[in-house]
Every structure is written in structure tokens, then in C-alpha cells.
Amino acid sequence: MNTLLTKKKWFLLGTLLMVIVLLTGCWDQRLIKESRLILAVGLDLEPNGKIIDTVVYPVVNKGSNAMSLVKSVVVSSTGVTTRDARINLDKKVSQMFDASKNRVFLIGEKLARKEIYSSLDVIYRDPRGSVNAMVAVVKGKAKKSLEIQPQDSTLMNIYYPELLQSTSAIGLFEIETVQSICTLMFDEGNDYLLPYLRINEQQQRAEVIGTAMFHKRKMTGTLTGKESTLLLLMNGVKQDYPRFTFKINDQKEMKERNYITVLVNDIERKMKIHITPDQKVRVKLALKMDVNVNELPVDHLDSAGKANELNKTLTREITALAKKTLAKTQKANCDELGVGKRIRSFHYGDWKKMNWEKDYRNISIEPEIKVTIVQHGIIN
């Protein structure tokens, strides 16, 4: 009996040793201590056509009181492609760069107006590519946007994502990532917007001044903040705190008393598309908005008559803004509303007869706006 147990033990031990020998380790491991983690990237286009790749990575310095201080280090390099520029960057630092943790891509306007897919191609081909990184366009050079030093944030990988998230919450745009725009760049009849930033070097801050309109793979125009918010609402998307400020009269000596600020509380949006036999497209875009009065220094708004007058004024102002915004999207050939995608989905026979690349600019889009004040604050 003991002999049998001994044989079983030796058999199990031998089997275990064979399994251990056959086991493999983590063959593709990358230790953090052996890499420089890229946390923000800026891409620009030089006059000679080369790409400027600017990256931000953290460095930990130990202070005299045993406290560690983390600071951002900015380094740039050029190359004929994005990958070539990154290879040249690796030659400038003591460790290889790892971009898998990157949180934001900032693209210079000159590069954005030429074409962005070629510069992002390296990310889509890399299994460790940071496809969840946010994307934004910078007026001027993206490199300058990574060299600023805002007082309330020493790390660019925290400053820019938080700036984009907070600005998205007030209704200027939807957050887009490297992954989400990949589909849109190749989607027929559906375009997209990206945040549009301006750098204030004196204040050492970035400011979101609106959105950059894109058609397929390149930037074709810009919208102001107010236009961006309204276009998002016309697309049926309401963020947490979309607000508008409009001038309602010129009669008050104090300028502040000539304006009203409203917060959009709820929306109802409907789009109807009519196509004639000769492929003329007419779009009716109905948008109902329930708003709260956030600021109205001139009046307590304590009667239904005053509220109705303001409803008419706001409807008129927002309708005019809607027409102006839609005209700009058509001029830029940016089908952010996805009219072409709807035609392709529900009127495919007509879609096949159209050349949407040219036809979108000439379609008729008629906004029908109705604004209703549902709350006027806590003042009775």
C-alpha cells in the first residue's frame, strides 16, 4: 500500500514538473519603470509637410522633505510621418515612450484642415494604441497648447480631459475619441464636430471657443459656442446644462438689463425628409424647447403676458440663429445632422441617384423652433 502511494506521489510530482517547464511567462510585458508614459499628444504640420509630434509625460521628483512632486515634461520631434516623428522622439529620452495611457490628442488647425486620418493611422494599427483618448482641434499650433502652465493644474493629462468634459456638460459638443471618429470618417452621409480650442498665452490657459466642423477626414469650418450648442440640440442631443444668452431690447441704459439667459430644460426634436421625383431634398426640422430663466435683470416675469412675449422673442432669436448655423454647416459640407444617412437608410433608391458630396450644400433645411418658458427662478 505504501509503495503504491509513493509511486502516485512521484507520478504527480513528475507531471507537475513537466507542466511547469511547459508554462510560458508574459512574453510581451512592458514594465512601467522601463517606459515613459505619454499622457497627452499634440500633432502639427510644418510648412515643409513634415509632422511635429509633441508629447507630455510625467516625471516624479523627490523633495527634501521626502514628498514627491509630479511635473509634466514636454518634448517634440519632427518626422515625415507620425511614426517617424515618434521614433525620433525615442532618440531624445532615456527610456522608450509608451502611448497606451494617452488621454488626449490635440491637433493643430493647419493639419486638421489638410487631413487627420493619416496622422492617426499609427494608433489604429497598434494593439496598444490609445483609442479612448479624446480628440480636439487647436487654433494655431497644438504644441503651444501643451506648453502652457495653468495655475490650477500642473499635469496636462488632467487639465485637458477635465476642460473638455466640463465644456461638453454645458452643451457645446459631444465627447469624441480616436475610436469614435474612426467610424465617422468613413461614414457616408454623416459628419462630426470636434472641440475647437484657443490658447491664451498671457493667462496660460486654453479656452474652448466653439467646434470645428469636419467632412470625412478633414476640417472644413468652425462654429461659435452658441451655434455649436444649438446644432447639438437640433441633432436631438441635450447635455446637462445648455444655456443661451440673447439680447431682448436696446432701451436700458445698463447693458446688463438688455439681456436674458435661459437654461434648456427639455427638448423635443423631429425631422421629416421629403424628396421630389427629381431628387430635390427638403428637410423640416422641428425643435420644441422648454427653458428656465436663469437671468433677467429687467423684469421679475410675474405675469403670463410677459412670459408669452419673451417666448416669441426667444423663438425669433433662436430661429434666426438656427438658420445661420445650418447655412454654415452646408457651406462647410458638414452633415452633422445625418440627413444623408437617413436618406441612405430609408430612401436608398433616391440615395443611389444622388451625389451627396455636392447635393448636401443645395438641399433645403427649414428649422421650426418653438420656445416655452416653464420656470422663471425662485423670485415670485
Side-chain angles (χ1 to χ4, degrees), residues 174 228-239 266-271 285-288 336-338 342:
E174 289 186 282
S228 303
T229 301
L230 183 55
L231 184 59
L232 208 62
L233 294 172
M234 288 192 289
N235 205 13
V237 179
K238 190 193 85 68
Q239 303 290 60
D266 195 15
I267 63 170
E268 181 183 340
R269 175 259 203 185
K270 293 181 180 179
M271 180 190 291
L285 186 63
L287 178 64
K288 295 181 180 179
E336 160 68 9
L337 297 177
R342 279 176 170 258

Side-chain angles (χ1 to χ4, degrees), residues 141-166:
K141 287 194 173 183
K143 180 181 178 181
K144 289 186 177 181
S145 67
L146 296 176
E147 293 175 338
I148 61 173
Q149 297 178 341
Q151 295 180 355
D152 54 351
S153 181
T154 58
L155 297 176
M156 293 296 99
N157 65 299
I158 296 176
Y159 176 69
Y160 279 108
E162 289 185 349
L163 174 65
L164 296 177
Q165 287 168 352
S166 62

Side-chain angles (χ1 to χ4, degrees), residues 118-377:
S118 298
S119 299
L120 299 176
D121 175 74
V122 63
I123 304 165
Y124 298 125
R125 295 181 184 275
D126 186 353
R128 296 173 61 86
S130 50
V131 294
N132 290 324
M134 301 177 190
V135 186
V137 176
V138 178
K139 184 177 182 180
K141 287 194 173 183
K143 180 181 178 181
K144 289 186 177 181
S145 67
L146 296 176
E147 293 175 338
I148 61 173
Q149 297 178 341
Q151 295 180 355
D152 54 351
S153 181
T154 58
L155 297 176
M156 293 296 99
N157 65 299
I158 296 176
Y159 176 69
Y160 279 108
E162 289 185 349
L163 174 65
L164 296 177
Q165 287 168 352
S166 62
T167 315
S168 174
I170 61 175
L172 264 72
F173 52 82
E174 289 186 282
I175 295 291
E176 297 288 1
T177 65
V178 175
Q179 180 65 51
S180 66
I181 65 172
C182 181
T183 304
L184 295 171
M185 281 191 282
F186 297 94
D187 194 0
E188 291 289 337
N190 194 23
D191 293 310
Y192 55 102
L193 307 175
L194 291 180
Y196 188 48
L197 311 180
R198 177 176 60 197
I199 306 304
N200 188 323
E201 294 186 44
Q202 184 177 0
Q203 296 184 8
Q204 289 291 290
R205 286 189 174 277
E207 176 188 2
V208 180
I209 57 175
T211 53
M213 292 183 285
F214 277 76
H215 175 58
K216 294 186 177 179
R217 294 175 287 280
K218 67 179 182 179
M219 177 181 169
T220 54
T222 61
L223 294 173
T224 65
K226 189 180 290 187
E227 292 166 346
S228 303
T229 301
L230 183 55
L231 184 59
L232 208 62
L233 294 172
M234 288 192 289
N235 205 13
V237 179
K238 190 193 85 68
Q239 303 290 60
D240 294 334
Y241 309 105
R243 290 185 175 90
F244 294 98
T245 298
F246 289 104
K247 193 173 188 178
I248 54 176
N249 63 59
D250 290 307
Q251 301 174 2
K252 304 302 177 183
E253 186 175 347
M254 288 184 62
K255 289 185 177 181
E256 186 180 13
R257 294 172 65 83
N258 292 319
Y259 292 85
I260 183 174
T261 298
V262 295
L263 168 68
V264 180
N265 185 48
D266 195 15
I267 63 170
E268 181 183 340
R269 175 259 203 185
K270 293 181 180 179
M271 180 190 291
K272 292 183 179 180
I273 300 174
H274 176 70
I275 304 175
T276 63
D278 57 345
Q279 279 71 56
K280 299 293 183 182
V281 180
R282 183 182 179 187
V283 180
K284 283 194 174 183
L285 186 63
L287 178 64
K288 295 181 180 179
M289 302 169 57
D290 292 341
V291 302
N292 304 340
V293 176
N294 273 184
E295 187 177 38
L296 183 62
V298 73
D299 203 317
H300 291 316
L301 202 61
D302 53 0
S303 71
K306 293 178 181 178
N308 288 333
E309 284 299 316
L310 273 178
N311 287 339
K312 293 177 182 178
T313 301
L314 289 171
T315 297
R316 183 175 64 251
E317 291 291 333
I318 294 180
T319 299
L321 180 62
K323 290 179 178 179
K324 179 183 176 182
T325 303
L326 292 170
K328 289 179 73 172
T329 63
Q330 288 186 267
K331 183 178 179 180
N333 208 21
C334 175
D335 188 4
E336 160 68 9
L337 297 177
V339 176
K341 190 173 184 178
R342 279 176 170 258
I343 295 174
R344 191 182 66 185
S345 300
F346 302 107
H347 308 274
Y348 189 70
D350 293 307
W351 171 261
K352 292 292 287 183
K353 299 175 184 177
M354 295 178 184
N355 181 357
W356 199 244
E357 191 75 19
K358 296 180 179 179
D359 292 343
Y360 173 68
R361 289 188 174 95
N362 301 316
I363 69 172
S364 171
I365 307 178
E366 302 172 10
E368 298 177 356
I369 311 294
K370 183 180 180 181
V371 181
T372 304
I373 295 174
V374 294
Q375 292 184 23
H376 55 80

